[in-house]
Amino acid sequence: MKLSRLVTFRSFHYLKPFMRLQSVTFCRKKHNLSSKDDEVMCPMKLSTLFVPGRYGADMYQIVRPVISVDDISQNLPSIRKSCLLRGINIDLENIVDLLQQLESERSEFKSFVEKDHQYIEELKHLHSVNDESRLNSLKKEHEEFINKLKSAKEKLHDTEELVLPMVKKIPNLIHFLTPLKSDITEEYSPRPTCQNFVSASHVEICKQTSLLKFSQNTAKTYYLKGALSELELAIQTYFCNKLKESGYGAMSCVDFCKSFLLEAVGQDPFSVVQAIPIEKKVERGQMLHLVGGASLEAFCAYLTNMNISKAGLPMRYFSIGRRYNAANCQRTSFDLFTVVQSSNIHCLTLCKDGHSEDEEFESFFQFIFSCYNDFKIPFRVVNCSPRNLNATESRHKQLEIWSPAKQMYLSVAHVSGRGDFVSKRLHSTYGVEHNVEGYCHMVEGVAVNIPVLIGCIVENFQKPNQAFHFPNELEFLQRLIED
């Protein structure tokens, strides 16, 4: 079959080259699982990540986020600044007071538990020596103590239920290179100011040339045909080759994850515009969500409770595959810019500290910058302000390319710095074998959103008669699929 006859069905199938995963040492830590096996419905307001002890038996809790009162107290001015710039309203002083109270109550409860063990051992001993008098006396004393133990436990659970929802709202710190007031935008390869014909949209062009077809039933399903299927394969090959040359290893990730992973990266698993649940039935408090293998959530599914070999840092990975955008589920537009399921290439770098993170951030940004220079399409770079950051991001830069039909720039790639914020939520650590030395710093981003890039290529290289052929300016892509 000739390549020009290939049809790509985007709803269930995508092209995914088989690439070798570079070697890496992982040490799996012991999971903290709940003891109850039956399925329960989790209250909508209950976090699936910051779980109060009262709901521990009902929630499938895989990991407990690191909550350090000392870290919060020491960084109080920076956290307050981050909240103010992001528009988050929380009482930090009250949170610190409650966390200190929580630590005190945990310590008190722990001492009660230890004393309870002592009672049990003493009761066993008295039973073994048949000392009925002392045994009965100690049983009564133990029963009174159990009431105190239960009271201490309830007190601890009350404080947890009060403070954990507040702690969940604390955002990451703002990176010093993040613009504080508003986004900073820089344009490159200025867009053309005039042309001899009216620009048509990629949908109009592809409809006339039969290169793109959307399902009659839904805008979520589409087909790429002929030159567009060739173009998709060429784009995938181009970015995969470039990433491997830059030291990134390919990784195959899962398409779905549990609710706590969405929360860990700053998404709301109960929001219809941020999550796509694939099971209405909740499994011990955790839903399954479609995220796609080319996503940060999918990477984090592997990294949860992992201790990574320190010798291998920084570790650079990329995943090519699906990416699901819940915000597009309700849209009825038929174009490649607003599809629910897109083919993406997502990258993740794990670093040892903030200095290494800054270096990797700039390195990845320069990588995508140089790539889009090759495509000869006007683009701009947006350095996002705190108001436009995810709660777990410390900085974010995105690259946007020009759509002549829409007369606007569209996001096609980005790079994000997360520090060790997400790693502390998921216990993604580094060290030597099972010895933990620190929490991984993360740099992640999208190298390419392929449908957006294809749509903009069609629009920017269209002919006056609304025809589209593989552009001479992108001959380097044509050579990739001919080799």
Side-chain angles (χ1 to χ4, degrees):
M1 180 183 292
K2 292 183 179 180
L3 191 58
S4 61
R5 295 181 182 176
L6 285 177
V7 175
T8 306
F9 180 29
R10 304 277 16 110
S11 183
F12 301 107
H13 175 70
Y14 62 97
L15 294 168
K16 188 169 184 177
F18 290 97
M19 292 166 286
R20 187 177 179 183
L21 176 64
Q22 69 183 48
S23 60
V24 55
T25 302
F26 290 120
C27 296
R28 174 68 71 182
K29 301 175 193 172
K30 185 181 291 185
H31 279 173
N32 179 21
L33 302 178
S34 61
S35 59
K36 199 170 182 179
D37 292 329
D38 57 324
E39 295 182 349
V40 297
M41 292 299 293
C42 170
M44 294 295 283
K45 64 179 181 180
L46 181 63
S47 170
T48 58
L49 181 66
F50 294 88
V51 183
R54 179 171 286 122
Y55 303 100
D58 299 328
M59 177 66 70
Y60 184 76
Q61 188 176 11
I62 295 175
V63 64
R64 286 184 179 273
V66 174
I67 302 174
S68 172
V69 184
D70 291 339
D71 284 350
I72 295 174
S73 299
Q74 292 170 8
N75 292 295
L76 208 57
S78 298
I79 297 174
R80 186 180 292 108
K81 178 182 177 181
S82 179
C83 291
L84 179 65
L85 292 171
R86 296 173 190 262
I88 299 174
N89 184 23
I90 52 177
D91 188 345
L92 291 172
E93 284 76 10
N94 186 36
I95 290 176
V96 171
D97 291 342
L98 286 172
L99 284 174
Q100 290 172 342
Q101 178 183 331
L102 183 63
E103 282 196 348
S104 174
E105 290 173 0
R106 277 180 178 163
S107 178
E108 181 183 2
F109 178 67
K110 184 179 179 181
S111 65
F112 271 101
V113 171
E114 290 173 352
K115 191 171 182 180
D116 184 48
H117 289 160
Q118 293 173 6
Y119 269 113
I120 292 171
E121 291 301 318
E122 182 64 19
L123 287 168
K124 286 180 180 178
H125 172 70
L126 293 175
H127 184 269
S128 65
V129 297
N130 293 322
D131 191 339
E132 292 293 331
S133 176
R134 291 181 59 193
L135 180 62
N136 292 332
S137 175
L138 192 62
K139 280 183 178 180
K140 291 181 180 179
E141 186 179 327
H142 185 229
E143 288 174 0
E144 294 176 359
F145 172 79
I146 289 297
N147 290 329
K148 294 180 181 179
L149 175 64
K150 289 180 179 179
S151 177
K153 185 177 181 179
E154 285 300 310
K155 185 180 178 183
L156 173 62
H157 286 173
D158 288 342
T159 306
E160 280 184 336
E161 197 164 356
L162 182 64
V163 72
L164 289 183
M166 298 181 185
V167 173
K168 177 188 170 183
K169 295 180 181 179
I170 296 178
N172 200 349
L173 302 181
I174 301 296
H175 192 275
F176 71 94
L177 291 177
T178 296
L180 301 183
K181 293 184 178 180
S182 60
D183 297 349
I184 295 178
T185 303
E186 297 179 41
E187 289 192 19
Y188 298 89
S189 304
R191 56 186 183 272
T193 55
C194 62
Q195 56 187 25
N196 299 326
F197 58 93
V198 178
S199 296
S201 72
H202 66 275
V203 177
E204 294 170 328
I205 297 168
C206 294
K207 184 178 180 180
Q208 179 171 313
T209 54
S210 299
L211 295 176
L212 175 65
K213 180 182 178 182
F214 282 91
S215 168
Q216 297 297 319
N217 300 320
T218 173
K220 301 174 186 177
T221 304
Y222 64 96
Y223 308 80
L224 299 177
K225 301 189 290 183
L228 289 197
S229 63
E230 294 180 1
L231 182 57
E232 182 191 45
L233 178 59
I235 291 171
Q236 289 180 350
T237 305
Y238 170 82
F239 278 96
C240 287
N241 290 346
K242 288 286 188 179
L243 284 164
K244 286 188 283 186
E245 290 170 5
S246 299
Y248 285 80
M251 190 170 184
S252 180
C253 296
V254 295
D255 276 340
F256 51 88
C257 69
K258 290 190 178 292
S259 302
F260 79 96
L261 287 166
L262 270 73
E263 282 198 47
V265 301
Q267 302 294 332
D268 182 359
F270 302 113
S271 169
V272 295
V273 297
Q274 296 185 36
I276 305 176
I278 60 175
E279 286 188 9
K280 292 184 178 179
K281 190 175 183 180
V282 180
E283 182 184 0
R284 290 162 64 186
Q286 298 282 353
M287 291 183 289
L288 280 177
H289 303 269
L290 271 175
V291 292
S295 65
L296 176 60
E297 297 93 326
F299 276 115
C300 287
Y302 284 107
L303 296 172
T304 300
N305 280 323
M306 284 288 187
N307 190 37
I308 298 164
S309 174
K310 178 183 177 181
L313 296 178
M315 289 181 176
R316 305 180 186 94
Y317 291 102
F318 73 93
S319 177
I320 177 172
R322 303 177 181 93
R323 174 58 176 159
Y324 293 93
N325 188 336
N328 290 338
C329 285
Q330 308 304 319
R331 296 185 180 179
T332 57
S333 56
F334 288 73
D335 62 58
L336 293 177
F337 301 148
T338 57
V339 294
V340 176
Q341 176 188 302
S342 60
S343 294
N344 278 20
I345 298 181
H346 203 104
C347 302
L348 173 71
T349 302
L350 301 175
C351 317
K352 185 173 65 174
D353 52 35
H355 177 70
S356 177
E357 179 189 347
D358 289 345
E359 290 180 344
E360 293 298 324
F361 185 100
E362 294 302 328
S363 175
F364 182 66
F365 174 73
Q366 289 303 321
F367 166 80
I368 59 175
F369 186 92
S370 64
C371 287
Y372 286 94
N373 266 327
D374 290 346
F375 284 88
K376 308 296 189 295
I377 296 176
F379 68 90
R380 71 179 186 181
V381 173
V382 180
N383 192 3
C384 295
S385 63
R387 287 275 179 173
N388 293 323
L389 296 183
N390 175 290
T392 65
E393 291 179 312
S394 62
R395 62 189 301 204
H396 181 106
K397 275 188 178 182
Q398 64 187 36
L399 191 144
E400 302 174 345
I401 54 177
W402 178 248
S403 165
K406 288 187 174 292
Q407 288 291 295
M408 64 184 294
Y409 286 96
L410 302 171
S411 178
V412 70
H414 78 262
V415 56
S416 170
R418 308 265 176 168
D420 59 2
F421 192 85
V422 174
S423 295
K424 285 184 175 179
R425 288 183 165 193
L426 296 176
H427 286 263
S428 301
T429 59
Y430 67 85
V432 179
E433 294 184 351
H434 292 280
N435 298 316
V436 174
E437 296 186 18
Y439 292 91
C440 296
H441 286 240
M442 292 184 180
V443 175
E444 58 86 20
V446 172
V448 59
N449 181 320
I450 295 177
V452 171
L453 181 54
I454 289 176
C456 287
I457 287 175
V458 171
E459 292 183 6
N460 280 277
F461 293 103
Q462 63 182 282
K463 304 301 179 183
N465 59 353
Q466 291 192 5
F468 174 77
H469 304 286
F470 226 104
N472 293 331
E473 294 88 342
L474 303 183
E475 186 181 354
F476 67 94
L477 291 178
Q478 184 79 54
R479 289 197 299 268
L480 288 175
I481 56 177
E482 289 177 350
D483 292 342

